[in-house]
Amino acid sequence: MSVVVVNYRGAEDTIACLRALGELDYPDLEILCVDNASPGDDAARIAAAAGSARLISSERNLGFAGGCNLGARHAHGTVLAFLNNDARPHPRWIDAAVEVLRGEPTVAAVASKVLDLDGERADFVDGGLTWFGMGYKRHADTPLADLPPTEHDSAKDVLFATGSAMFVRADVFAELGGFDDDFFMFYEDVDLGWRLNLRGWRVRYEPTSIAYHRHHGTMAAVDAPDSGRETFLLERNALCALYKNLSDETLASALPAALALTVRRATARGDLDPAQLDLAAGVGPPEVAPVPVSRAALAGVLAVDAFVERLPALARARAEEQAARVRTDADLLPLLRKALEPAYPLPRYLAAHDILTEVFGIERAFGARRTICVITGDTLTSRMAGPAIRAWHIAGALAGEHDVRLVTVNPVADPPPAPFPVLASSRRDLVEHVAWADIVVLQGHVLELVPALKNEYAHKIVVCDVYDPMHLELLEQGRDTPDDVRTADLAGVRRVLDAQLERGDFFLCASERQRHLWLGHLTAIGRLSPRLYDADPTTRSLLSVVPFGLSPEPPRRTGAGLRAGLGLAEDDHVVLWAGGVYSWFDPLTLVRAVELLHTEREDLRLVFLGMKHPNPEVGEMDVADRTRRLADSLGLTGKHVFFNEQWVPYDERQNWLLDADCGVTTHFEHVETLFAFRTRVLDYLWAGLPIVTTDGDAFADLVRAERLGVVVPAEDPRALAEALERCLYDPDFAQGCRERMRAVAQRYTWPNVLEPLVEFCRDPRPAADRLPGAGHLTQAPRRQAGELVRRDLELVRSYLSDGGPAELARRAAGRVRKLARRGLRRG
């Protein structure tokens, strides 16, 4: 812990502050005092009385901001504390703040509870910000007895901590360049907190970290209230903070209104007659005598002038902040508390405030919607496969609250009408959509198509939808591929998944089983770090279960279904395979089960909903052809087994489902099955079709637990035939399944399953380990030379005891190689 105290012409207060700090019972406490080129003997007096504190003398007055930055550059602590020289710490001031930083890795700064010197009135218990850039202390100078305890005794996130008593992680402070030196004093703390929040960090008010402060004690010692200099700094710095930190869209409305309001505030403070130069107010003898202007009025006008003078430097600072931000103005709006408060009770000023907020639409500007880009590699047409369907519904669920684009990089794009823009993009143009978005939601191989997300847009918030374990599918799909190609393909897919797991801020998977799979993968690549774990030991804020979903509306017939399309009779008993035919499925056992059953059940019909994948980049798999050949060889094709070659349009599938009596999915027993999520089963739930499924996947557990159908062993045609017969020809059993399905289906509606993603996008933040400037808060002390020698001697004795000289030689050689590699890396 390094505490920085800045002094300017306040030696008496500063010495008292340093002595109070020296009495704190905190280990490894470093106290630094920066003297800002005070005239007279301040530095000498402080040096004589500083005790363990280290004095740093500045050659010129750097202001509070620059003085703090100078102290920070000399500090060694992993945490920096800033305390005004006219403030005094409570004995647990540091301990309480450190507990927050240790316990909450996403908190960059802790705002202390600051009271007056008697501990009776609030100085800082919450921060607010006006839309025109002025930060203020809410409830300042209010007796604590008059405040509800929730206003001052409850921990909460705030926009900023007061510079009079605050803590910040040293690495993060350095990452952001510390306080802005150009502010000199006032609002440098507001600006820092604003920037921390924009980059995804949190600032936390901790009521048990207490300091006592003589408000404006330092300023009173160096300036007079009527000089106008404080007002000048406040007005100028408010405009500077506004310009740096607001988004382009909000700034376009807020800046002209803020400039106009600054002028009106100045004229209202100086009680200037606004009509004194207006010819329309009356023409009389010309008056050329100077008009007296108070310093209070002059301060505002000069502040605007100074703001204009600083614009080139501010533009550079703005570009840096806007490029690094991951939070929107709307995200921060709750932290502004009451952004439309006018702040000054001057009648002419209040009238102007009302006019400007209305004319420039300030309330609307601060509530701008977040931008989200959902990117898929699948075809977006009326015939969509699982990834595209999922991306479509993700976009739809988010579009109610945000501006959403659904983008495909697939050349086949002919989407149905949608309440959000649906666009096709080349790989080259994809970066434009990423640049537009505050949040990017991606699937499959998309991350590899946008390397900018790992480079110039590495700060963007990325949601990775990993509901499809591609590497496990590939193990089964590539069985007939040459071994070397198969090995290389798997390595490539694994690299794609590793890249997503290393880059993402939030992950979606389809089941608890998948969640265990991805947690293991995150751990294996080193992503499940202490920082991530400490931020959320459950890890659900990082990896959430978001199953495939179904419509909240029951299916309603809109046209002809499979009976009319395939010429089936109304009294036929239809088993539906409602999806594609892939290598990891087992339609062959299903066909054999139909062959066993059809002689006794002549009206049995098995229908495959779609054989050919709508994405031309996905070729037909060998199992589809083998299924056709098996049905042909058994004489079932066109009689008891029917193949619909082209996929049914997504918004027409209900017509086929409503013509069926039972839904089926069969698969082999292998690792792909273990972690698969068979989306076709959801359509069976939606349509109320009793389900026959092979055991081994997550949905088999659901079907068994909720009694939604029959679960059968893998590759057992006899058991499968019996299950089909029960679901098709036992009306009481089938009706019981349908009744139980209604409640289960509600759990899987798209609005319900997507709730974790919707909640994340309402308050999106980078993952705890991806916050800029995150570093170790605590570090083990370095071992002394004597300890190292004793350790090495113990190791030598151990090696000789375990394996003799040969073992010692082997270990020594290993140590030499390790040191050599470390030297090469450093070189």
Side-chain angles (χ1 to χ4, degrees):
M1 176 63 63
S2 298
V3 183
V4 177
V5 177
V6 176
N7 174 75
Y8 182 72
R9 292 171 56 182
E12 186 173 338
D13 276 336
T14 300
I15 291 168
C17 178
L18 296 177
R19 285 175 176 164
L21 286 169
E23 293 172 1
L24 295 179
D25 182 19
Y26 190 85
D28 299 322
L29 176 61
E30 178 185 45
I31 304 171
L32 304 101
C33 178
V34 176
D35 181 66
N36 250 336
S38 299
D41 61 353
D42 271 33
R45 290 174 60 195
I46 293 169
S52 61
R54 182 152 51 105
L55 180 65
I56 302 165
S57 295
S58 174
E59 295 180 356
R60 61 187 179 88
N61 186 0
L62 302 172
F64 181 75
C68 287
N69 288 341
L70 178 60
R73 288 195 291 272
H74 284 80
H76 299 97
T78 59
V79 176
L80 299 172
F82 299 103
L83 187 68
N84 270 15
N85 72 324
D86 53 356
R88 308 291 179 265
H90 184 277
R92 291 200 73 252
W93 176 60
I94 294 178
D95 300 83
V98 168
E99 286 174 10
V100 176
L101 294 171
R102 290 288 304 268
E104 301 191 51
T106 59
V107 170
V110 173
S112 296
K113 178 179 186 175
V114 184
L115 307 175
D116 68 357
L117 289 179
D118 296 323
E120 297 178 354
R121 291 177 175 269
D123 183 299
F124 183 91
V125 295
D126 193 8
L129 183 76
T130 66
W131 63 266
F132 45 91
M134 288 194 162
Y136 62 99
K137 302 175 181 181
R138 300 186 70 229
H139 311 305
D141 204 34
T142 303
L144 292 184
D146 294 346
L147 284 176
T150 53
E151 289 295 317
H152 68 89
D153 256 351
S154 298
K156 57 196 168 190
D157 284 359
V158 291
L159 182 68
F160 62 91
T162 174
S164 60
M166 65 174 288
F167 299 80
V168 62
R169 297 175 188 268
D171 287 344
V172 182
F173 190 76
E175 173 73 19
L176 269 68
F179 293 119
D180 189 329
D181 285 337
D182 287 342
F183 277 53
F184 195 78
M185 63 188 301
F186 301 129
Y187 297 159
E188 72 289 321
D189 48 5
V190 177
D191 172 69
L192 177 68
W194 199 344
R195 290 187 285 134
L196 286 169
N197 274 286
L198 285 177
R199 298 192 191 204
W201 285 102
R202 294 161 57 210
V203 180
R204 190 75 171 163
Y205 169 74
E206 175 48 55
T208 61
S209 173
I210 301 172
Y212 304 94
H213 181 222
R214 181 159 53 89
H215 184 61
H216 263 39
T218 302
M219 193 65 184
V222 300
D223 195 27
D226 297 331
S227 73
R229 290 188 289 192
E230 179 179 344
T231 302
F232 166 80
L233 288 172
L234 291 169
E235 296 283 7
R236 184 199 67 185
N237 291 351
L239 292 171
C240 291
L242 190 81
Y243 182 78
K244 283 174 59 177
N245 297 313
L246 282 183
S247 68
D248 291 347
E249 297 78 8
T250 311
L251 189 67
S253 297
L255 182 59
L259 288 166
L261 195 62
T262 303
V263 174
R264 174 57 69 91
R265 207 160 37 242
T267 61
R269 278 200 197 101
D271 198 23
L272 296 178
D273 178 3
Q276 61 183 303
L277 303 181
D278 189 352
L279 282 175
V283 179
E287 295 185 23
V288 295
V291 176
V293 177
S294 70
R295 285 178 170 269
L298 185 62
V301 176
L302 294 181
V304 173
D305 186 74
F307 168 72
V308 173
E309 189 70 20
R310 288 174 180 240
L311 273 175
L314 281 170
R316 292 189 292 273
R318 171 176 173 76
E320 180 179 346
E321 297 308 323
Q322 297 306 309
R325 68 184 293 156
V326 297
R327 306 275 283 161
T328 69
D329 296 335
D331 289 337
L332 269 56
L333 192 57
L335 300 180
L336 273 55
R337 305 307 188 213
K338 295 182 179 179
L340 294 182
E341 275 188 326
Y344 295 92
L346 304 170
R348 287 189 61 251
Y349 164 77
L350 292 174
H353 181 275
D354 291 345
I355 292 170
L356 291 167
T357 53
E358 175 66 26
V359 170
F360 284 89
I362 297 302
E363 190 168 8
R364 294 190 303 276
F366 274 83
R369 286 156 63 97
R370 187 174 293 106
T371 54
I372 302 178
C373 186
V374 182
I375 310 176
T376 181
D378 217 354
T379 58
L380 292 175
T381 68
S382 60
R383 292 176 169 86
M384 289 187 281
I389 293 169
R390 190 167 165 92
W392 185 277
H393 284 286
I394 285 173
L398 298 176
E401 299 179 24
H402 315 285
D403 289 338
V404 176
R405 292 178 185 174
L406 175 57
V407 177
T408 180
V409 291
N410 195 285
V412 179
D414 184 19
F420 44 81
V422 183
L423 307 166
S425 174
S426 66
R427 175 175 178 174
R428 181 185 61 191
D429 295 336
L430 204 53
V431 70
E432 296 178 11
H433 298 290
V434 168
W436 167 82
D438 297 315
I439 303 172
V440 178
V441 183
L442 53 82
Q443 297 175 325
H445 292 72
V446 168
L447 182 60
E448 302 309 302
L449 304 180
V450 200
L453 280 171
K454 304 175 188 176
N455 302 310
E456 60 262 42
Y457 294 123
H459 63 283
K460 293 272 185 179
I461 292 178
V462 171
V463 177
C464 297
D465 184 11
V466 291
Y467 93 102
D468 181 10
M470 301 182 294
H471 53 325
L472 304 184
E473 288 183 353
L474 194 61
L475 284 170
E476 187 63 31
Q477 184 179 347
R479 279 182 179 272
D480 299 327
T481 306
D483 289 348
D484 57 339
V485 175
R486 188 181 182 197
T487 300
D489 287 347
L490 183 62
V493 169
R494 195 169 60 246
R495 283 193 296 271
V496 169
L497 290 172
D498 283 350
Q500 287 189 51
L501 295 173
E502 288 168 355
R503 174 61 179 86
D505 296 292
F506 188 54
F507 299 94
L508 314 179
C509 64
S511 66
E512 283 295 334
R513 285 191 185 187
Q514 283 194 4
R515 190 167 186 277
H516 296 160
L517 170 71
W518 296 123
L519 278 176
H521 205 145
L522 287 163
T523 304
I525 66 171
R527 185 73 197 277
L528 193 55
S529 63
R531 188 171 293 113
L532 271 178
Y533 180 82
D534 290 349
D536 176 14
T538 72
T539 67
R540 292 197 177 272
S541 61
L542 176 73
L543 173 60
S544 190
V545 175
V546 176
F548 217 83
L550 51 85
S551 171
E553 299 298 324
R556 290 183 172 83
R557 188 176 295 280
T558 59
L562 62 84
R563 294 181 189 271
L566 300 175
L568 305 186
E570 288 301 316
D571 57 352
D572 284 341
H573 286 70
V574 177
V575 180
L576 183 64
W577 177 284
V581 179
Y582 307 136
S583 300
W584 45 89
F585 292 128
D586 179 18
L588 302 173
T589 299
L590 179 59
V591 171
R592 292 191 180 96
V594 171
E595 198 271 333
L596 291 174
L597 193 58
H598 84 281
T599 54
E600 298 178 11
R601 301 294 186 178
E602 179 59 31
D603 58 354
L604 170 64
R605 307 289 183 261
L606 168 63
V607 175
F608 288 90
L609 189 66
M611 298 297 287
K612 293 183 178 178
H613 198 286
N615 185 349
E617 296 178 352
V618 178
E620 186 173 288
M621 299 181 192
D622 177 67
V623 70
D625 185 57
R626 290 165 58 200
T627 304
R628 289 193 195 92
R629 284 191 278 112
L630 178 61
D632 290 346
S633 69
L634 296 174
L636 299 175
T637 304
K639 298 176 183 178
H640 295 280
V641 178
F642 296 82
F643 299 100
N644 185 58
E645 293 299 328
Q646 300 298 326
W647 282 33
V648 172
Y650 183 64
D651 59 0
E652 296 176 20
R653 73 195 190 287
Q654 71 275 8
N655 300 319
W656 289 60
L657 289 161
L658 291 171
D659 272 357
D661 301 291
C662 168
V664 65
T665 178
T666 54
H667 41 255
F668 297 105
E669 186 176 0
H670 46 48
V671 71
E672 190 279 336
T673 293
L674 184 64
F675 295 106
F677 191 86
R678 309 300 185 198
T679 57
R680 74 198 60 229
V681 177
L682 288 171
D683 275 342
Y684 302 154
L685 274 175
W686 185 46
L689 299 180
I691 300 165
V692 176
T693 180
T694 308
D695 205 356
D697 70 351
F699 264 127
D701 295 343
L702 179 72
V703 171
R704 183 185 294 110
E706 301 287 351
R707 295 180 296 142
L708 308 178
V710 182
V711 179
V712 299
E715 299 184 78
D716 187 338
R718 178 65 61 186
L720 187 53
E722 292 172 358
L724 292 173
E725 185 169 33
R726 188 177 188 193
C727 287
L728 289 170
Y729 296 101
D730 184 339
D732 291 338
F733 177 77
Q735 182 59 29
C737 292
R738 293 189 188 97
E739 290 174 357
R740 289 185 288 272
M741 280 181 174
R742 293 190 187 100
V744 177
Q746 283 302 309
R747 303 205 306 254
Y748 285 92
T749 60
W750 282 112
N752 282 338
V753 299
L754 287 170
E755 189 59 27
L757 175 61
V758 171
E759 283 298 317
F760 176 81
C761 290
R762 283 176 180 153
D763 188 26
R765 294 180 185 271
D769 61 333
R770 289 202 343 98
L771 287 162
H776 296 303
L777 197 63
T778 58
Q779 297 177 356
R782 292 183 178 181
R783 293 185 176 183
Q784 300 298 314
E787 291 181 277
L788 294 173
V789 170
R790 285 192 294 274
R791 183 201 64 180
D792 288 346
L793 288 174
E794 286 296 325
L795 288 173
V796 168
R797 280 194 288 268
S798 174
Y799 298 152
L800 287 172
S801 173
D802 292 342
E807 177 67 9
L808 177 60
R810 188 179 71 82
R811 295 282 189 166
R815 173 76 72 87
V816 170
R817 287 193 297 270
K818 182 177 180 180
L819 292 173
R821 285 195 299 270
R822 187 179 299 169
L824 286 172
R825 284 197 298 269
R826 288 174 177 170

